[in-house]
Amino acid sequence: MKNYVIMRLLATIPLLLGISFLCFVFINLIPSDPAEVALRIRQTPVITEELIARTRAELGLDQPFLARYFHWLWDCLHFDLGVSYTNPARTVLGEIGRCLPATLELAGLSLVYVIALSLPIGFLSAVYKDSWFDRLMRGFVFAATAMPVYWVGLLLIWIVSIRLDLLPTSGYGGLSHLILPAFTVALSYISTYIRLIRNNMLENMREDYVLYAQARGLKRRAILVRHILKNSLQSCVTAIGMSIPQLIAGTIVVENVFAWPGVGRLCIASIFNRDYPVIQAYVLLVGVLFVFFNLAFDILQYAADPRLRERKA
Amino acid sequence: MNTVLDVRNLSVRFRSGGRLLSLVKDVSFSVSRGGCLGILGESGSGKSMTCKAVLGLLDDNFQAEGGVFFEGRQLLGENPETLRRLRGGRIGVVLQNPMSCFDPLYRIGEQMAETLGEHTSLGRRRIRERSAELLELMRIREPGEVLRKYPHQLSGGMLQRVMIGLALALRPSLIIADEPTTAIDSISRHSVMREFLRIKRTGETAILFISHDLGVLSCIADQVLVMRLGEAVESGPAGRIFDNARDAYTRRLIRRHKAVMSKFLAAVRQGPEAAA
Ligand SMILES: Nc1ncnc2c1ncn2[C@@H]1O[C@H](COP(=O)(O)OP(=O)(O)OP(=O)(O)O)[C@@H](O)[C@H]1O
Ligand SMILES: [Mg+2]
């Protein structure tokens, strides 16, 4: 177990380096000159060649590519992500830190929705396979998968907020502001997980251990919950580990539809303003989140499954 | 004779689409206390279907008709809760694939405790002791260790013996064993058969023993029923069937297995005697 964790931790180092490098390369591939952009954003009245050259030096853009990368990486490791071009008074880390809690609230509630809805629905759909409930849910899964997120968001705003006037249309506030956007983010995941849990359960029901559990005279409910459900969730653990960073990154569309002041909206605003350091930091953040959650849930699954524990020990 | 299980004209049909497929056709047999009925037949001949029908383990897609009388009580159409209490209690069950019959996520001890807890009112300590006793009875060394193991950490033969031990847990009057020796190696097969012979010798349990292996059947069954494509093609005392089968299919089966059988019989029949 300990060896496995250490090995996985070591393996993340090259992964994180790769991610940071790609992130840096992509931002640098953008054709416009960052120095010029920075000057324009600061609304410098006259942009001269000399001024551009000075800004380039100020932003460290005059150094060779690799030198800039390592310099940036070094700063990143010290949690220094530079300053925003748009507003040199603000650090990128500060900007992200300011917007991240709102995004985490949104993603957190979405995750609660996903678990609280897909677990019982997937379970019941499998237990009462082909009942009216199962068929209704299959229809829901199909519809939810087919609809684009922004469209669901707009539809919900129109029905729930405008026609029924139950919840605020947009903006940041208490729980009432959070319900619709979180549901919008969660929707496609709910349908994915309903399907995953239902199929896993149906597959497990055909296993020999279920027949033997029945032959031992165990109660149906015990077999369903203690054996079939537990085995079915085993393979969902890794999937959830991937879904959490996806949920966090996936808020980008929803935050803009609902005017939710999270990092997703910060990122879109920065793209419009060509605020490179912020975009770069956002991309890096999402990449790191993926690596982190993937690692954490692999270890979790490893700890939960006696077969895995054994094999890699 | 003290009949424990009496199956009369049992038929099992499977509903597929609008059609009904006959999987078991009009099969009758009975097993009495201390006796062993062997059901012989090739893969797909309906042996497991017959077992499942007796145990009430067929789902709604199947239709079972006829009579399944356990200690005089009709089990077909009996309510599921009553059947559940019988399974693992008065009726012990041993299945074919020991490696996949245990839930991979729980320790052997937990799965044994779960079964014992379902059928008895023993406390946790007593259950643990009883589990260890059962494993000892199955001549498993260091039962305490084995109880702490996960299924994948044990061999097929070992798991098969755990299953037999568990089937014996509540001193059942009937044990149904569906191909208990098919999925394990020949050395384990030997020790598994030894346990079954021992159970039979106590004279307290009726055994329904299913196999497609003549050698294995010939060393335990007193009565044999041969099934083919869902039908009983031959039945009678084991000796007569093996030496003088009337049915052509049975004769063919016997001939095919003869060579293997003689070798195997020597090993199995002499094994326990020599040890005793
Ligand atoms: N779940 C099922 N649904 C439909 N048909 C089934 C099902 N299970 C088994 N059958 C069919 O029922 C027939 C009898 O199967 P059964 O499992 O009883 O055979 P068996 O004699 O036990 O064979 P084996 O030696 O392979 O265990 C086979 O033709 C099989 O195709
Ligand atoms: Mg079978």
Side-chain angles (χ1 to χ4, degrees):
Chain A
M1 180 79 202
K2 210 161 141 199
N3 288 344
Y4 175 73
V5 174
I6 293 173
M7 243 173 52
R8 285 298 311 261
L9 278 173
L10 288 179
T12 58
I13 295 174
L15 202 58
L16 286 172
L17 278 177
I19 288 173
S20 67
F21 187 71
L22 279 181
C23 168
F24 191 78
V25 168
F26 281 132
I27 301 296
N28 277 274
L29 283 179
I30 300 174
S32 50
D33 182 350
E36 198 182 326
V37 172
L39 284 173
R40 203 165 285 144
I41 291 167
R42 292 175 201 167
Q43 297 181 333
T44 317
V46 196
I47 298 173
T48 59
E49 286 295 319
E50 185 211 6
L51 198 54
I52 288 180
R54 192 139 40 86
T55 316
R56 289 177 72 93
E58 178 195 326
L59 295 173
L61 292 168
D62 52 350
Q63 282 156 30
F65 177 78
L66 275 182
R68 272 188 292 145
Y69 167 66
F70 282 115
H71 189 242
W72 174 73
L73 190 66
W74 184 248
D75 285 346
C76 283
L77 288 176
H78 293 81
F79 298 103
D80 177 9
L81 297 172
V83 290
S84 162
Y85 285 178
T86 327
N87 192 344
R90 288 188 172 167
T91 63
V92 173
L93 194 67
E95 286 291 275
I96 299 245
R98 182 172 58 85
C99 298
L100 196 58
T103 294
L104 291 182
E105 271 173 48
L106 186 54
L109 187 64
S110 306
L111 186 66
V112 172
Y113 275 134
V114 172
I115 292 170
L117 288 174
S118 53
L119 195 63
I121 293 177
F123 179 81
L124 292 174
S125 296
V127 174
Y128 301 104
K129 183 174 175 277
D130 296 328
S131 64
W132 63 266
F133 177 80
D134 181 33
R135 267 179 275 160
L136 186 73
M137 285 306 140
R138 268 180 357 221
F140 164 77
V141 164
F142 180 75
T145 317
M147 291 187 296
V149 175
Y150 64 89
W151 190 75
V152 172
L154 292 174
L155 194 70
L156 284 175
I157 292 177
W158 183 67
I159 297 177
V160 181
S161 306
I162 297 176
R163 300 301 301 263
L164 301 175
D165 199 18
L166 290 175
L167 294 168
T169 52
S170 64
Y172 185 72
L175 194 63
S176 66
H177 285 82
L178 204 53
I179 292 175
L180 280 190
F183 186 74
T184 312
V185 175
L187 194 63
S188 66
Y189 293 91
I190 293 173
S191 65
T192 306
Y193 279 96
I194 288 178
R195 213 170 37 197
L196 190 65
I197 292 171
R198 178 180 179 275
N199 292 350
N200 277 352
M201 294 236 344
L202 290 177
E203 225 162 80
N204 270 288
M205 282 178 190
R206 286 194 289 271
E207 294 285 333
D208 282 342
Y209 74 80
V210 175
L211 182 69
Y212 185 53
Q214 291 174 321
R216 287 186 283 153
L218 300 187
K219 290 205 184 75
R220 184 172 135 88
R221 200 192 310 168
I223 298 175
L224 281 172
V225 176
R226 218 178 315 152
H227 297 286
I228 300 177
L229 183 64
K230 190 169 175 195
N231 274 280
S232 306
L233 290 183
Q234 205 64 25
S235 56
C236 293
V237 172
T238 337
I240 281 275
M242 284 317 271
S243 292
I244 292 177
Q246 273 171 5
L247 277 172
I248 297 174
T251 55
I252 194 163
V253 172
V254 174
E255 281 181 9
N256 284 286
V257 172
F258 286 91
W260 186 261
V263 279
R265 226 172 112 211
L266 175 70
C267 175
I268 296 286
S270 307
I271 289 173
F272 281 124
N273 292 334
R274 301 253 155 74
D275 198 343
Y276 296 124
V278 179
I279 306 171
Q280 210 165 22
Y282 178 80
V283 176
L284 185 69
L285 174 74
V286 171
V288 169
L289 284 176
F290 268 95
V291 173
F292 172 76
F293 279 102
N294 197 1
L295 176 73
F297 277 75
D298 272 0
I299 291 175
L300 200 69
Q301 189 186 26
Y302 185 81
D305 191 328
R307 286 162 299 183
L308 290 179
R309 238 168 13 219
E310 177 100 336
R311 199 172 329 132
K312 294 187 189 161
Chain B
M1 280 256 265
N2 199 340
T3 303
V4 177
L5 178 70
D6 190 23
V7 172
R8 290 288 123 222
N9 308 101
L10 177 71
S11 295
V12 178
R13 279 184 278 264
F14 176 65
R15 260 180 234 122
S16 100
R19 295 185 308 139
L20 279 177
L21 284 173
S22 243
L23 301 181
V24 176
K25 297 164 207 155
D26 205 27
V27 170
S28 301
F29 57 85
S30 66
V31 204
S32 36
R33 200 166 150 207
C36 173
L37 172 78
I39 301 186
L40 182 68
E42 287 178 327
S43 193
S45 55
K47 306 182 300 286
S48 300
M49 277 298 145
T50 308
C51 281
K52 285 187 196 166
V54 169
L55 291 166
L57 287 178
L58 294 175
D59 62 55
D60 295 340
N61 296 320
F62 297 90
Q63 211 177 56
E65 272 167 23
V68 172
F69 298 94
F70 174 69
E71 295 177 331
R73 174 150 134 226
Q74 164 74 296
L75 296 187
L76 283 190
E78 183 58 276
N79 86 53
E81 182 60 16
T82 314
L83 289 171
R84 180 183 73 73
R85 280 174 204 276
L86 281 178
R87 290 194 297 263
R90 304 291 304 142
I91 306 181
V93 184
V94 179
L95 297 179
Q96 178 171 357
N97 295 310
M99 303 288 253
S100 55
C101 277
F102 288 91
D103 186 331
L105 301 182
Y106 293 90
R107 294 170 200 277
I108 293 298
E110 290 170 321
Q111 302 192 48
M112 290 188 80
E114 173 182 50
T115 317
L116 294 177
E118 196 63 63
H119 297 285
T120 62
S121 54
L122 299 178
R124 282 178 58 159
R125 280 255 322 271
R126 263 309 284 147
I127 285 185
R128 200 164 176 80
E129 286 163 14
R130 181 81 183 120
S131 305
E133 273 168 37
L134 289 169
L135 296 188
E136 248 166 82
L137 195 68
M138 288 298 110
R139 298 179 228 219
I140 289 174
R141 264 171 277 140
E142 303 195 51
E145 276 297 303
V146 172
L147 287 177
R148 269 192 296 277
K149 292 262 158 76
Y150 286 95
H152 73 273
Q153 298 170 314
L154 298 173
S155 70
M158 185 75 98
L159 290 170
Q160 195 61 277
R161 279 184 288 160
V162 173
M163 263 199 201
I164 300 170
L166 204 45
L168 285 176
L170 292 136
R171 303 202 173 75
S173 49
L174 173 67
I175 287 188
I176 297 186
D178 188 357
E179 311 214 30
T181 58
T182 306
I184 53 181
D185 62 273
S186 57
I187 296 171
S188 310
R189 191 172 305 167
H190 179 251
S191 62
V192 162
M193 285 317 293
R194 196 170 57 181
E195 302 312 329
F196 273 106
L197 283 171
R198 216 150 49 98
I199 297 168
K200 195 187 160 199
R201 238 177 269 136
T202 63
E204 285 166 12
T205 319
I207 304 177
L208 180 60
F209 196 101
I210 290 165
S211 181
H212 60 237
D213 188 334
L214 272 170
V216 165
L217 267 192
S218 66
C219 78
I220 188 158
D222 338 288
Q223 299 280 319
V224 172
L225 176 87
V226 183
M227 287 187 71
R228 188 192 182 201
L229 301 175
E231 278 177 285
V233 290
E234 172 126 25
S235 72
R240 186 188 64 67
I241 302 243
F242 292 134
D243 298 333
N244 187 15
R246 292 186 197 120
D247 178 73
Y249 170 71
T250 312
R251 279 203 301 274
R252 203 166 69 231
L253 276 185
I254 291 171
R255 220 177 311 125
R256 200 187 304 156
H257 281 266
K258 209 102 193 186
V260 191
M261 189 168 72
S262 55
K263 215 167 71 192
F264 198 78
L265 272 181
V268 176
R269 271 209 175 120
Q270 279 164 22
E273 253 78 296

